[in-house]
Each structure stands twice: as C-alpha cells, then as structure tokens.
Amino acid sequence: MTISHKAIRSSGWKTDFLIGFPDGLFLLFFATQVMQVFPIEVQTFYTIHLCVWIIGAFLVMISAFQANKGDLQHDSYLLSDEERTKLQRLDINARTIAHIEQEMEKDAQSWELMLEQEKVKETTYSRSRAIRSALMTGFFFLVGGGFSLGPYLSNENFTAASQTSIMLVFLGLTVFSFIKAKVTAQRPLPVIIRYWLIGAGILAGAWILHKTIF
C-alpha cells in the first residue's frame, strides 16, 4: 500500500510553467547560439537541436514527476526512529542527537518560509497529479525552446534566424518575467533585469566560445 505524504512543491500549471518554460528557452538558446557558426549541414543542425529539444523535455518531465512525488522527510521535523537508532549506534550521545533534531526543525521551518514567500504550496502526493504536472512541465519546456529554435526551423539563413531568435528570446523573457512577478508577488522590474542578464550571459558565453574555438 502506498503511503500518501507531502510533495515538496505544488503541481499547479503555474509552477510547471515557471520551471519548464525558462529551462527550454535557455537550453535551446545556448545550443543554437553556440552551434550556428559551426561548419555543419543544415539538416545536421536541425537533427542535433531537435534531439536536444526532445531529450531535454523528457528529462525535465522526469525531474518534475520526482519533485511532485515528495518524500517522507518533509512530513516531520523530527528524526525518525530509524534515523535515531542509526545515530545511537554511532555512539552519539542524547544531547548531540537532540541538537541535531533542533537544527533539523530550524531548517524545515526556513524551508516552509521560503515556500510561502515563493507562493509554492505543499500538497499530498497523487500519482495522476504528478503525471499531469510532468506533462505540463515538458510542454512548457517545448514552448520555451520553440522561442529559441523556431526561427532556425523556418529560415535556413542562420544569421537572420539568430537575430529573430534573440528578439523572440528577450521578448519571451519579458513576458515570462511579468507572469512570474505576478505569481510570486514580486516587483516586475527586478525579475525582468535578472532574466535579461541571464540571456545576455548566454550570448556572452557563446561569443567567448566562438572566439576561443575560432
């Protein structure tokens, strides 16, 4: 019989969007910016990036499913009987064990506070909800990746496609930042600046790689 316990994050579509969309956008943005200047055939370029896109979505889905499963550790701030017994077998005295338990409680309370600040709710594990969340996260990953890769699929002139991709990426980051700010009750401007800096960092990283290689 499966024991129901807390999942460490909510399984609502907003959380799935906040996780999946930027992961897909940034991964494909980096990949396309790095590989567009390599002397490879157009079809090879497409094949590589489609594989990265699909495999990335699959891995994100697995991660989302595991995250929604949660674990028994988050159901209690205290040491379990099994954990206490293991510590006692290591000849750790009762005072030290009590101190460990106090620190665990402090950490758990800090974790709960962070979840509350980020508007993330804990919920009882449900397999169907975990599967649905995984699928939604994978879908949003594909959507985010589409902002970066889409222009290349529609235009074999990679120089022009890159310019369109950059424009769409920063437009997507702006819209995403507004949504995240709304969901997490933050001011939009700091969120926008943070994600624009990440996007600019990816461009800078790709440029450095090109200069290093060529």
Side-chain angles (χ1 to χ4, degrees):
M1 180 177 179
T2 302
I3 300 175
S4 294
H5 50 78
K6 290 180 181 179
I8 62 173
R9 69 175 182 83
S10 71
S11 56
W13 71 267
K14 293 179 181 178
T15 304
D16 303 328
F17 172 73
L18 296 181
I19 294 173
F21 182 85
D23 283 358
L25 184 147
F26 286 135
L27 176 61
L28 271 299
F29 188 42
F30 178 76
T32 53
Q33 288 299 313
V34 168
M35 295 197 62
Q36 62 174 305
V37 298
F38 279 78
I40 57 176
E41 296 182 358
V42 172
Q43 186 56 52
T44 303
F45 178 90
Y46 289 158
T47 300
I48 292 173
H49 285 85
L50 287 173
C51 288
V52 170
W53 201 14
I54 294 171
I55 293 172
F58 181 72
L59 293 176
V60 165
M61 288 170 62
I62 293 175
S63 298
F65 179 79
Q66 293 297 327
N68 275 279
K69 284 178 67 175
D71 57 62
L72 293 174
Q73 176 185 351
H74 296 87
D75 287 354
S76 174
Y77 297 153
L78 305 178
L79 289 170
S80 66
D81 291 338
E82 182 180 355
E83 290 170 334
R84 190 184 300 277
T85 300
K86 288 180 179 179
L87 291 176
Q88 291 171 345
R89 288 175 179 172
L90 295 173
D91 292 329
I92 298 176
N93 60 52
R95 183 177 178 180
T96 303
I97 292 175
H99 177 71
I100 292 173
E101 196 164 45
Q102 289 174 359
E103 291 300 316
M104 288 177 62
E105 184 172 359
K106 289 179 182 178
D107 290 342
Q109 289 173 346
S110 298
W111 173 251
E112 296 287 345
L113 180 60
M114 186 192 72
L115 292 179
E116 182 179 348
Q117 291 173 342
E118 293 293 328
K119 309 299 181 183
V120 176
K121 298 179 180 178
E122 291 184 322
T123 183
T124 302
Y125 169 65
S126 166
R127 179 180 292 273
S128 62
R129 187 164 55 238
I131 292 174
R132 183 169 63 250
S133 177
L135 292 174
M136 289 297 293
T137 304
F139 169 75
F140 286 125
F141 179 94
L142 293 174
V143 172
F147 277 73
S148 303
L149 182 60
Y152 295 90
L153 297 177
S154 60
N155 187 355
E156 294 185 3
N157 182 343
F158 287 171
T159 300
S162 175
Q163 295 174 353
T164 304
S165 177
I166 293 172
M167 181 187 68
L168 287 178
V169 163
F170 280 88
L171 177 61
L173 288 175
T174 303
V175 174
F176 171 80
S177 297
F178 273 107
I179 296 174
K180 180 170 183 176
K182 178 69 174 179
V183 171
T184 59
Q186 300 180 62
R187 292 191 300 135
L189 185 58
V191 181
I192 292 173
I193 292 175
R194 182 165 68 249
Y195 279 97
W196 276 18
L197 287 175
I198 295 174
I202 290 175
L203 281 174
W207 181 82
I208 292 171
L209 282 175
H210 293 160
K211 291 298 182 180
T212 302
I213 295 173
F214 298 105

